[in-house]
Amino acid sequence: MRLYQKGTPMTDISADLLAKYSTTRLPGLVLGDGFLLPDYAGGSILNLPASLCGWLGAPGLGASPLRSELAAAFGRTYKRVILILVDALALHRLQRWMDDGTAPVWSRLAQQGQLAALTSITPSTTSAALTSLWTGRSPAEHGVVGYELWLKEYGIISNMILHSPINYQNDAGSLSKAGFKPEAYLPFPTLGTHLAAHGIRSYALQHRSIIRSGLSQMFFRDVDVQGFNTPSDLWVNLRTMIEQRPNERQYLWVYTGEVDHFSHFYHPDDERTAAEFAAFSLGFERLFLDRLSPAARKDTLVLLTADHGMVATQKDPGYDVANHPGLTRLLHMMPTGEHRLMYLFTRPGQEEAVRGYYENTWPGQFEFIDPAEAMAAGLFGPGQAHPRLADRLGDMIVAARERAYLWWADKENILVGRHGGLGAEEMVVPLLAAELG
C-alpha cells in the first residue's frame, strides 16, 4: 500500500505568516520589543474551531475562521477531520525534527499538504488554549486566563487543570467542595454539542490519567472520550474508530502531553524530548497511516498543531520569590497566572513600589501591562469579557522577556522549560494539514 500520495512539493507558508504576525499590534497597548501578540483576526488557534466546522460542513462556532491563505488549500468539506494536538510543540522544533530525521513522517506527509504558522493565545498555556479550541471562544470570554487563578467568587487560588486549591498536594477536583461545577462552567455551546447538532460525532483520545480531569469535564459534552496508555493503543484505537464506522461523519481529537512534560522537566531541546516525539510519530506512521485502508483515507483531513510552544529557562534562585521578601511585602498574596505572565494583587498604593522593585532587581527583563488596558485592547481576545475577568487579572500584569520568569510555589523549582508568556518560542505553533486520500 502506498502511504503517501504523489503530488506537488509541500507548501510551507510559515515564513510569510510569521512576517505578518510580527507586525500585529493591539490598539491602545504599547509593548516593548521581544513580544509576539496573538493574531486573533485569523492566524490564531482561536480561529481553528470555526474552520474545523467548515471542513466538516457545519456552521462556524465562536470566533472567525482561519485567514484565507491558511485555509485556501483545503476549501472543501470532508467526512472526517483528525486534529492531533501535541502539547508544547513549537513550530521551530517541529521543523527541526522534520528535517533532522527525528520524525520524518511529518515531512513526508506534508509533501501532499501545507505547513503553516499559527499564534497561540494569551496566555499561551494549556488550560486557556484547550478551552478555546473546544469552544471557539477567547480567554477573555471564557475567563480561563491562566494555570493558577484567583477565583474571588470561591475565595480560592485554583489550579485550573486539576480544579483544586493551588497548594493542595495529590488532589484533584476539590474545588467542587466550594460549589464549582466544571460541567456547568461554560455558558456557551462546546464543539462536541455543536457538531452533534449537525450530524457529526466527536471523539477525544487522550491519556487515561486525564480523561476525567476537571478541565476535560468542562468542554467534553457530547464527546465520546477514549483513554489510552501508550501511543500503541492510541493509534490502533484511532484506526479502529474510523474503520468500524465507515459512514459516520467524525471529528477526532488526539491529545498528547508528553512533549510538554519532557520539555518542562528535562529541556525543550533535550534528546529525551525529541525521542518522545519520535516514538509518538513512529506509532502514528506504522500503526495508523501504514494500515489505514484506502476507503478510510478518502475524505479525511489530518491536522497537526499545538496549544503553545516552550521557552528554555534556567533554574535561577534569583527568580525565586522566596528570596525576595521585599517584593512579597508589597503584595496581598503570591502572584497568580503564569510564571511568564503573572497577575499581581498589590497592597493599596504600592503599585509604583512594585514596579520599582522589578526594575531594580531584574532591569529590562519584565514589562508591565495595565489590566484594564489589556482588556480594552483585546490582549485576551475578542468578544464580551467574562464577568470575573477583571478580578482574575488583579492590579498589574507582568510579562517576562527572553528567559525571565518568576517562581513562587512553596517547593523546589524543578522546571527548565516554561510557557504562558508572549515570547515567539512559546507563541508560535504549527498547523500542518494534509488530505489522506
Side-chain angles (χ1 to χ4, degrees):
M1 180 186 301
R2 190 178 71 224
L3 177 57
Y4 306 100
Q5 292 180 314
K6 293 179 179 178
T8 57
M10 173 184 65
T11 302
D12 186 343
I13 62 172
S14 58
D16 290 341
L17 288 165
L18 286 172
K20 289 184 178 181
Y21 300 154
S22 67
T23 64
T24 299
R25 299 292 182 269
L26 294 172
L29 188 65
V30 179
L31 299 180
D33 296 334
F35 297 117
L36 184 74
L37 298 176
D39 179 19
Y40 295 123
S44 167
I45 59 173
L46 175 64
N47 307 109
L48 256 179
S51 289
L52 288 167
C53 292
W55 287 322
L56 287 163
L61 178 71
S64 60
L66 296 169
R67 55 172 69 241
S68 58
E69 57 264 48
L70 276 158
F74 307 96
R76 67 180 185 92
T77 58
Y78 299 88
K79 179 182 291 185
R80 65 186 62 86
V81 173
I82 304 167
L83 188 146
I84 302 168
L85 191 140
V86 178
D87 197 317
L89 180 63
L91 171 64
H92 71 284
R93 291 193 176 91
L94 174 63
Q95 290 173 319
R96 183 198 311 147
W97 292 337
M98 288 169 62
D99 292 340
D100 68 7
T102 296
V105 59
W106 303 109
S107 181
R108 294 195 296 267
L109 184 64
Q111 294 304 315
Q112 66 198 57
Q114 174 178 277
L115 178 63
L118 291 179
T119 65
S120 185
I121 54 173
T122 304
S124 53
T125 198
T126 301
S127 57
L130 267 56
T131 307
S132 289
L133 284 165
W134 277 97
T135 62
R137 304 284 182 157
S138 71
E141 292 175 288
H142 59 63
V144 182
V145 286
Y147 178 67
E148 301 180 13
L149 286 187
W150 164 238
L151 302 182
K152 182 179 179 180
E153 62 272 36
Y154 300 107
I156 293 171
I157 300 176
S158 177
N159 177 314
M160 293 306 294
I161 291 180
L162 298 177
H163 291 172
S164 65
I166 198 65
N167 287 324
Y168 281 24
Q169 301 296 315
N170 303 315
D171 179 80
S174 42
L175 190 58
S176 64
K177 296 178 181 178
F180 182 85
K181 297 179 180 179
E183 65 278 1
Y185 173 81
L186 297 169
F188 25 74
T190 53
L191 190 57
T193 301
H194 177 74
L195 293 177
H198 297 279
I200 301 157
R201 189 167 181 180
S202 297
Y203 298 87
L205 296 94
Q206 54 189 41
H207 197 272
R208 291 189 184 279
S209 63
I210 60 171
I211 57 173
R212 293 296 297 166
S213 71
L215 184 66
S216 298
Q217 291 179 56
M218 283 173 49
F219 45 66
F220 277 162
R221 292 196 293 269
D222 297 308
V223 176
D224 187 341
V225 182
Q226 302 285 331
F228 63 86
N229 290 308
T230 69
S232 299
D233 58 335
L234 159 63
W235 297 122
V236 173
N237 291 348
L238 178 64
R239 191 181 77 239
T240 300
M241 283 180 183
I242 296 172
E243 299 283 10
Q244 292 184 348
R245 301 167 177 85
N247 299 317
E248 188 175 70
R249 295 166 66 202
Q250 299 172 324
Y251 173 55
L252 302 120
W253 159 278
V254 174
Y255 170 86
T256 177
E258 296 308 307
V259 168
D260 179 79
H261 178 82
F262 279 55
S263 296
H264 278 307
F265 293 102
Y266 292 117
H267 190 283
D269 298 311
D270 187 87
E271 64 177 297
R272 286 161 288 201
T273 308
E276 182 62 27
F277 184 65
F280 177 83
S281 302
L282 188 62
F284 169 72
E285 178 178 19
R286 295 188 177 178
L287 298 176
F288 181 72
L289 280 183
D290 276 358
R291 303 185 186 186
L292 194 65
S293 69
R297 291 172 175 277
K298 187 177 180 181
D299 290 330
T300 297
L301 177 68
V302 64
L303 309 167
L304 174 69
T305 191
D307 48 354
H308 56 77
M310 187 75 70
V311 172
T313 60
Q314 294 182 341
K315 299 176 184 179
D316 185 342
Y319 291 132
D320 192 331
V321 172
N323 296 321
H324 297 278
L327 174 62
T328 57
R329 281 195 293 268
L330 304 174
L331 305 175
H332 278 300
M333 56 190 181
M334 289 298 183
T336 64
E338 302 288 328
H339 295 154
R340 286 180 48 80
L341 190 78
M342 59 210 76
Y343 311 139
L344 303 185
F345 295 78
T346 61
R347 291 185 179 275
Q350 298 301 319
E351 286 85 354
E352 286 306 311
V354 169
R355 184 187 295 267
Y357 192 97
Y358 269 82
E359 292 175 349
N360 290 330
T361 308
W362 306 287
Q365 297 183 54
F366 294 94
E367 180 82 12
F368 289 86
I369 305 171
D370 179 83
E373 293 179 0
M375 292 171 59
L379 179 62
F380 296 93
Q384 184 174 354
H386 189 280
R388 299 285 185 175
L389 181 60
D391 289 340
R392 296 173 187 180
L393 297 179
D395 302 304
M396 306 174 78
I397 301 172
V398 184
R401 298 184 184 282
E402 299 181 350
R403 309 295 174 188
Y405 64 92
L406 282 193
W407 176 265
W408 55 80
D410 188 19
K411 57 185 177 182
E412 181 187 358
N413 175 15
I414 59 175
L415 303 184
V416 292
R418 300 172 201 273
H419 55 83
L422 297 168
E425 290 181 61
E426 56 204 318
M427 282 295 297
V428 180
V429 300
L431 180 64
L432 193 159
E435 298 177 3
L436 293 187

